[in-house]
Every structure is written in structure tokens, then in C-alpha cells.
Amino acid sequence: MTQFELASATRFGLQTSPSTFYMRLGRRELFICRDTYVRRYRVNPLIECSAGVEAGHLQILLLRRWLLVLSRAPG
């Protein structure tokens, strides 16, 4: 079963905005937001993958604008 929740607090060390949402799929979490981080390196224009801020997190940057954070749900 999928749960949709609006992120009202900071999650994954990122600031929330009106275009942010959080989704839980079983034991996994998906956090999607607009990317505001200024990167000091050249970013792939379509998709960029990197390790997240915390262990077990995967960050995917889509179209240089949308940041998807995949992680394991607590508990």
C-alpha cells in the first residue's frame, strides 16, 4: 500500500518547498523536491546519481532540477 504525505518538516537534510512530497513504498521511502544546491562540478543534463547525505541514501538529479532521494524507511 502506498502512503502519500506532504513533507512539513525538513527530511533528509533538505529544505522543504511547496513542490515537495514524500512517498513510502513498503520498506522504502522516496522524497522528491526541487534542487536548490549549487554544484561546483558539471552536471549531466538528463540524470545524475550520487550517494546521499546519510548512509543508505541514493540521490538522483533529474533534468538538473528535480532531486529524488531513495532511502530505507525507519522501523
Side-chain angles (χ1 to χ4, degrees):
M1 180 174 205
T2 305
Q3 298 175 355
F4 291 98
E5 297 178 15
L6 290 176
S8 59
T10 52
R11 297 189 53 79
F12 309 110
L14 301 169
Q15 297 293 328
T16 59
S17 67
S19 60
T20 300
F21 71 93
Y22 160 80
M23 186 170 38
R24 185 171 178 167
L25 302 166
R27 296 185 329 178
R28 303 288 179 206
E29 291 180 345
L30 175 65
F31 180 73
I32 301 174
C33 66
R34 297 276 302 221
D35 185 40
T36 58
Y37 183 74
V38 177
R39 287 166 172 72
R40 304 285 183 203
Y41 57 90
R42 188 171 174 90
V43 178
N44 189 334
L46 295 178
I47 188 168
E48 180 82 24
C49 296
S50 64
V53 177
E54 297 182 25
H57 288 200
L58 174 67
Q59 292 184 350
I60 301 171
L61 183 63
L62 294 174
L63 304 173
R64 295 183 182 168
R65 213 173 260 211
W66 293 99
L67 184 64
L68 284 71
V69 180
L70 302 170
S71 69
R72 191 171 184 179

